[in-house]
Amino acid sequence: MSFRNFKMVSYVVFGRGSFNQLDEILTPHRKGDAPMVFLVDHFFEGKALLNRIPLRGKDKIIYVDVTHEPKTKQVDAIAAELKAEFGEVSGIIGIGGGSAMDLAKAVSLMMTNPGSSADYQGWDLVKEAGVYKVGIPTLSGTGAEVSRTTVLTGPVRKLGMNSDFTPFTQIILDPELTQNAPANQRFYTGMDCYIHCIESLEGTYLNEFSRSYGEKALDLCRKVFVEKEKWDTESDEQLMMASYAGGMSIAYSQVGVAHAVSYGLSFLLGTKHGIGNCIVMNHLEEYYPAGVKEFKYMVEKNNIEIPTGICADLTEEQFDSMINVSLGMKPLWENALGKDWEKIMTREKLRALYGKL
Ligand code: NAD
Ligand code: ZN
């Protein structure tokens, strides 16, 4: 048996208003006049947060369109543009939800690794450390701030660049940045964390490391979505730490059925991660009875709409392609259902499940 030896984020700042320390944090990492490049979620274009970005010299802000989940060609285009304009950059700072953070991680890696980011979709294919990279979440839940992957849709697959070079060098966890997110979005992304916890805690890969973080994260999700009557400043802090702990939990375990099925939806229909997981979780009583019951309670309590019938008009060919993508996520199924998962999750069973979504 070989134990996972995983790379973590090197530096972490947590606290309301900690974003104000960004200038001080970046200064020692500036290399001559090579700029810091801020990849900012397009939501913040024209918003007050921009005036707080500490621009010096040739520093540049690039608004990233996160209408769709990050693509390898989007990463390649940004990296090519930066190389053409500056040659070298001092660092890449991602400000936004999971999408903007994933773009920042990937662009950092593509500043030093040759070829296309699509060449590195997989496990441990990245050969060179990227440039200095900072993650600053404005939504809580994905765990992208702590993970060793950046999920990209490429020409042939939707798969992360999983490597020891992928985690951020620095993260800044400032709960103030999530406070104005719309309730629906906050819920979908928050449920990503809740679902990470259920899948990790109910999985066969579970050990005490993941359990400790997973239980804490679950506890924090419950405080926010079950116990409170309404969202408050403490909720932003709790969900931000839930996301962090949930990410740490899956660092040593794995996600499960909801993610494996939701990947198929996202590949075929472009369904976004958070909402896709919710659409699937809504129908997983058989696998996670207690978690699904509580999930439904949270949906109702927080007045959230979960889409249904999204697979109603699909052809058999389309169902097949979702089933192929989903069954390709072997570690997820093995974590969820054990070594004999292929006998349990047959194509017919999965076809029936997709049919219900
Ligand atoms: P997101 O980053 O896709 O953003 C969702 C929407 O919220 C966007 O329209 C964005 O502009 C907007 N937004 C962001 N911050 C906001 C704020 N403070 N106020 C108002 N609107 C705001 O959403 P997400 O759920 O955080 O991330 C999903 C992405 O993360 C997917 O691409 C998924 O693949 C990825 N992901 C990565 C990992 C990882 O480990 N790397 C894990 C899970 C998910
Ligand atoms: Zn997830």
Side-chain angles (χ1 to χ4, degrees), residues 229-243:
E229 278 323 308
K230 71 187 223 314
W231 194 271
D232 57 20
T233 41
E234 199 187 34
S235 311
D236 287 301
E237 299 177 2
Q238 289 166 329
L239 196 57
M240 192 160 265
M241 283 318 297
S243 177

Side-chain angles (χ1 to χ4, degrees), residues 183-184 187-188 298-306:
N184 268 319
F187 185 85
Y188 299 143
M298 293 185 287
V299 168
E300 202 178 300
K301 167 153 190 186
N302 295 278
N303 279 316
I304 306 293
E305 208 61 52
I306 305 292

Side-chain angles (χ1 to χ4, degrees), residues 21-299:
Q21 255 162 263
L22 186 55
D23 192 24
E24 184 188 315
I25 288 170
L26 297 181
T27 300
H29 299 280
R30 292 182 177 279
K31 292 187 182 149
D33 68 350
M36 288 289 177
V37 176
F38 300 85
L39 300 189
V40 180
D41 190 312
H42 64 172
F43 169 80
F44 293 99
E45 199 163 356
K47 302 272 172 15
L49 184 69
L50 291 182
N51 306 321
R52 297 171 58 202
I53 295 179
L55 297 176
R56 313 243 159 228
K58 296 192 292 180
D59 286 3
K60 182 178 176 114
I61 294 179
I62 298 178
Y63 296 106
V64 289
D65 184 346
V66 296
T67 314
H68 305 289
E69 297 194 337
K71 295 194 169 52
T72 52
K73 65 173 196 282
Q74 191 179 10
V75 169
D76 294 349
I78 299 172
E81 176 193 329
L82 293 176
K83 284 182 202 162
E85 190 173 352
F86 303 113
E88 233 186 289
V89 302
S90 288
I92 305 284
I93 298 99
I95 305 178
S99 299
M101 288 193 284
D102 274 1
L103 280 169
K105 290 185 190 179
V107 169
S108 156
L109 294 172
M110 294 317 294
M111 292 307 290
T112 52
N113 287 277
S116 162
S117 49
D119 304 337
Y120 303 102
Q121 289 180 280
W123 280 268
D124 302 303
L125 303 172
V126 179
K127 294 289 178 286
E128 303 285 337
V131 300
Y132 176 72
K133 51 181 162 340
V134 182
I136 309 182
T138 64
L139 285 173
S140 296
T142 63
E145 65 279 22
V146 286
S147 75
R148 81 191 283 281
T149 188
T150 157
V151 184
L152 302 177
T153 305
V156 276
R157 53 182 74 89
K158 180 183 173 185
L159 187 62
M161 294 167 78
N162 296 265
S163 86
D164 282 350
F165 299 118
T166 309
F168 284 115
T169 330
Q170 167 86 57
I171 56 176
I172 298 181
L173 305 178
D174 182 346
E176 203 172 64
L177 304 183
T178 64
Q179 72 189 5
N180 296 318
N184 268 319
Q185 184 62 56
R186 200 149 59 185
F187 185 85
Y188 299 143
T189 304
M191 281 304 114
D192 192 17
C193 176
Y194 179 83
I195 294 168
H196 289 160
C197 295
I198 300 296
E199 292 177 320
S200 171
L201 292 168
E202 303 285 321
T204 61
Y205 289 3
L206 188 67
N207 64 13
E208 196 52 44
F209 185 100
S210 343
R211 192 201 314 274
S212 306
Y213 281 108
E215 285 177 352
K216 187 65 205 179
L218 195 58
D219 206 43
L220 290 164
C221 288
R222 287 182 176 140
K223 286 199 161 73
V224 171
F225 294 114
V226 178
E227 291 165 24
K228 274 189 217 212
E229 278 323 308
K230 71 187 223 314
W231 194 271
D232 57 20
T233 41
E234 199 187 34
S235 311
D236 287 301
E237 299 177 2
Q238 289 166 329
L239 196 57
M240 192 160 265
M241 283 318 297
S243 177
Y244 179 91
M248 291 299 290
S249 178
I250 45 175
Y252 225 120
S253 57
Q254 187 44 278
V255 288
V257 181
H259 276 76
V261 177
S262 145
Y263 263 88
L265 292 179
S266 130
F267 184 82
L268 184 76
L269 305 171
T271 315
K272 294 196 79 180
H273 190 79
I275 195 167
N277 286 345
C278 289
I279 291 169
V280 179
M281 190 68 175
N282 222 3
H283 297 276
L284 295 185
E285 289 89 346
E286 188 180 337
Y287 307 95
Y288 307 117
V292 173
K293 186 162 174 237
E294 187 167 56
F295 168 78
K296 290 188 168 172
Y297 175 78
M298 293 185 287
V299 168

Side-chain angles (χ1 to χ4, degrees), residues 1-6 207 252:
M1 163 134 198
S2 157
F3 296 95
R4 190 174 299 168
N5 181 12
F6 66 92
N207 64 13
Y252 225 120

